[in-house]
Amino acid sequence: MKVTDGIYSYPWTNMWENNCNSYILKKNATTVLIDPGLKRYVPALLISAKQDGINEDDISLVINTHAHPDHLDGNSHFLERNIKVALSAEETKFLLSTGKEFFSMFGLAQPQGQIDISLQEGEFTINDLELQILLTPGHSPGSICIYWPEKKALISGDVIFSESVGRTDFPGGSGELLKQSIERLSTLDVEYLLPGHNEIVIGKNDVTRNFEFIKRAFFSYL
């Protein structure tokens, strides 16, 4: 589903099974897939993308907001096709330690293959697509959010959703760090809030109202 020029959203709407929302960012010949979700659902994701005129061969890079299985398991599909994947340095440490047990908890094998690009806080450019990587721990130790200043678009992973926040009771979670991350995100100029689950939020006023609601409703419990 095209959200606006260069941004495509593939929301997960099956309430009976867990998976994440996926997004594609596209500028000229550069196409980046963010959070492919569970491997068994990647074929359906690629069919939806093709309906938007995006072929699998167009994908230059896969970026994961964090290493939980419902966001990262689909990496296997792309690693088998020699498409590079990226994850934050902090989250890679988590994936190689506690993350192994986390995949086992869900009855899944951890994707085999290296993380090609270790993301750091700051500007990240792939060809002519200029993004900002924000380290936003709380849901997981090395969670990142991805901000596209040109589009005023924020892909928030499982840090913040529409009227909700990411869990902090998983290994490496921290309510205090999650609050700090959300406070930081709330200062950005955002027209499109693209979360890892639930519906997207469009329009600066609605995005601002969502941050304000989150602070009122959740901060005293985190």
Side-chain angles (χ1 to χ4, degrees):
M1 178 185 74
K2 184 176 181 179
V3 177
T4 189
D5 287 344
I7 301 177
Y8 299 84
S9 169
Y10 302 98
W12 184 254
T13 57
N14 185 339
M15 62 182 296
W16 303 110
E17 293 192 61
N18 183 47
N19 197 30
C20 73
N21 298 337
S22 300
Y23 299 98
I24 287 178
L25 306 183
K26 185 172 178 62
K27 186 171 183 181
N28 299 326
T30 303
T31 303
V32 174
L33 170 63
I34 299 175
D35 286 345
L38 291 167
K39 184 179 180 180
R40 62 181 177 270
Y41 299 124
V42 168
L45 167 64
L46 294 173
I47 289 172
S48 295
K50 191 168 185 177
Q51 292 171 349
D52 288 325
I54 302 169
N55 296 314
E56 181 176 3
D57 291 344
D58 298 332
I59 297 172
S60 314
L61 177 68
V62 174
I63 298 178
N64 299 115
T65 59
H66 59 292
H68 288 170
D70 58 330
H71 292 252
L72 182 134
D73 183 56
N75 280 15
S76 296
H77 176 94
F78 298 96
L79 288 167
E80 291 165 1
R81 289 154 178 79
N82 295 316
I83 295 174
K84 292 183 177 181
V85 300
L87 186 68
S88 80
E90 286 299 317
E91 196 71 354
T92 300
K93 294 177 184 177
F94 171 79
L95 178 64
L96 296 176
S97 55
T98 308
K100 294 181 180 179
E101 300 173 5
F102 203 67
F103 268 79
S104 297
M105 287 170 53
F106 289 87
L108 297 168
Q110 193 178 82
Q112 298 300 306
Q114 67 180 14
I115 301 298
D116 299 289
I117 299 175
S118 183
L119 297 171
Q120 306 288 339
E121 170 96 18
E123 295 183 359
F124 177 72
T125 300
I126 174 170
N127 300 324
D128 48 4
L129 180 60
E130 298 178 352
L131 306 173
Q132 290 182 6
I133 303 299
L134 303 164
L135 186 59
T136 50
H139 177 66
S140 70
S143 286
I144 60 166
C145 292
I146 302 161
Y147 183 56
W148 190 0
E150 179 182 334
K151 302 292 183 179
K152 299 182 179 180
L154 176 66
I155 298 175
S156 59
D158 284 5
V159 176
I160 183 170
F161 311 129
S162 172
E163 299 188 349
S164 191
V165 299
R167 296 175 59 168
T168 58
D169 58 337
F170 286 146
S174 166
E176 186 57 38
L177 288 177
L178 189 68
K179 286 193 289 185
Q180 292 175 23
S181 293
I182 292 171
E183 285 281 12
R184 183 183 182 201
L185 295 177
S186 70
T187 66
L188 297 172
D189 184 7
V190 178
E191 290 283 347
Y192 302 95
L193 178 63
L194 309 169
H197 299 276
N198 303 341
E199 64 271 17
I200 65 178
V201 183
I202 298 178
K204 183 174 177 60
N205 289 338
D206 285 343
V207 171
T208 299
R209 279 194 291 267
N210 191 67
F211 275 111
E212 292 173 348
F213 171 80
I214 294 300
K215 292 176 186 180
R216 291 195 309 270
F218 289 93
F219 271 28
S220 61
Y221 299 101
L222 290 173

